[in-house]
Amino acid sequence: MVFAHPRLSVNSVSSYLQPLGADLVLWRDLGIEHVALILPKIEEVGWDTAREMVTSAGLRVSTIFGPTYRPLDADRSLGWWDADQQGTVDTVEFAASIGAASVYVCTGGAPTVTWDEAADLFCELIAPAVARGAELGVPVLLEPTNPLRVDISFVFWQRDAMDLAREAGTKVMLDFQSCWYERGLEQVVRENIDLVGLTQMSDFVIGTTETGNRVVPGDGDIPLERLLAMVLDAGFEGSFDLEVMGPRVEEEGYHSSVRRAVERASELLDRVGA
């Protein structure tokens, strides 16, 4: 059993290669009751089964990672449009049915259009889910990504995410992994703290060239204590989601890496007065 700070959730990405059932066993063994879910694991067992599994376990869910949008061309000829719109609406409705606090998405890559064109397309794509989320009290969060992940996003800076979120009517996921190096981050966060629906934390070893190769907080080089203090000082009152993944996590094993990550993250949150 591990002590988890009450504002800390553990993302299912942190045990990425195992199914939802195994996640439930892991979380039960470690005494983790506040979690985040991802759509592939939900779809693997089916919406109804996943709902029963999560509610029976008595879990508190901070967020669900939904479909990735793909506004790849302006004429919509690639066929993802309707599927993506309905998929996110379905995820929002599922989130509401299990008491999840939010749903987060990436914009999808947009190599064949300009940034502004892609932004307009994304706003149109996400509108039904935003409207349904407003009805159900489940906000949709926009998550920016590392610039190397042009396959899943065209939003790579937190300031751009804030601007697009205001245009689209979403909130944002503040992911330290993809913004800790950004110039003027403190001002961006402070001026847009009303948009921050969830803060996501992990660590990164400088010199790593794989975007998905993260480490347990404290094993890397991201100044997490300073960043956490920055967010709290700006007035953030929500949850902090723990998302570790990659070769180092797989080598260590989920039970050990998740336990250590929860311990380290909880210590940091205590230290900054969360």
Side-chain angles (χ1 to χ4, degrees):
M1 303 287 284
V2 63
F3 166 78
H5 192 281
R7 292 177 67 177
L8 182 70
S9 67
V10 176
N11 200 298
S12 188
V13 168
S14 300
S15 47
Y16 186 70
L17 295 181
Q18 71 180 18
L20 180 60
D23 284 344
L24 296 179
V25 173
L26 172 65
W27 297 333
R28 184 188 64 220
D29 288 348
L30 292 176
I32 294 168
E33 299 178 342
H34 192 195
V35 302
L37 306 176
I38 62 174
L39 190 57
K41 296 189 183 187
I42 294 170
E43 292 180 329
E44 184 179 28
V45 298
W47 296 95
D48 292 338
T49 299
R51 182 182 297 105
E52 175 63 24
M53 292 170 70
V54 172
T55 55
S56 295
L59 296 170
R60 183 161 58 106
V61 181
S62 64
T63 193
I64 301 174
F65 182 47
T68 295
Y69 283 93
R70 303 188 185 277
L72 291 172
D73 58 355
D75 65 6
R76 313 178 195 180
S77 63
L78 295 177
W80 282 299
W81 196 271
D82 292 338
D84 283 338
Q85 284 188 314
Q86 189 56 49
T88 309
V89 171
D90 290 344
T91 306
V92 166
E93 292 177 344
F94 176 83
S97 74
I98 62 170
S102 65
V103 168
Y104 71 105
V105 300
C106 293
T107 62
T112 64
V113 296
T114 67
W115 197 97
D116 289 333
E117 288 171 336
D120 289 342
L121 290 169
F122 176 75
C123 289
E124 186 174 349
L125 278 166
I126 202 68
V130 171
R132 188 64 173 137
E135 293 173 356
L136 296 173
V138 180
V140 177
L141 315 181
L142 168 62
E143 182 184 40
T145 62
N146 184 287
L148 291 176
R149 295 308 309 271
V150 294
D151 56 321
I152 63 171
S153 184
F154 62 87
V155 181
F156 309 120
W157 303 104
Q158 197 63 51
R159 64 184 68 246
D160 287 343
M162 300 300 193
D163 290 344
L164 182 55
R166 291 207 184 276
E167 184 179 353
T170 70
K171 300 291 187 179
V172 298
M173 166 81 80
L174 181 65
D175 182 3
F176 291 154
Q177 186 73 208
S178 56
C179 74
W180 68 277
Y181 42 73
E182 188 169 338
R183 181 178 68 85
L185 180 63
E186 181 176 359
Q187 181 178 355
V188 169
V189 171
R190 187 173 298 278
E191 292 177 351
N192 297 279
I193 194 62
D194 60 302
L195 289 178
V196 180
L198 189 69
T199 297
Q200 199 167 75
M201 59 189 298
S202 58
D203 212 340
F204 170 81
V205 176
I206 292 177
T208 302
T209 57
E210 300 165 299
T211 61
N213 194 352
R214 306 181 182 186
V215 294
V216 167
D219 287 357
D221 300 297
I222 296 179
L224 290 172
E225 185 169 348
R226 174 170 61 81
L227 293 169
L228 290 170
M230 172 195 73
V231 175
L232 291 170
D233 289 345
F236 178 66
E237 298 180 347
S239 296
F240 297 85
D241 186 47
L242 184 63
E243 186 183 82
V244 295
M245 68 178 84
R248 294 181 176 92
V249 169
E250 298 299 328
E251 182 178 359
E252 179 175 347
Y254 297 143
H255 196 281
S256 174
S257 61
V258 171
R259 176 185 54 78
R260 290 199 308 115
V262 170
E263 289 175 344
R264 296 271 187 84
S266 296
E267 289 170 4
L268 283 168
L269 289 170
D270 280 336
R271 200 147 62 226
V272 297

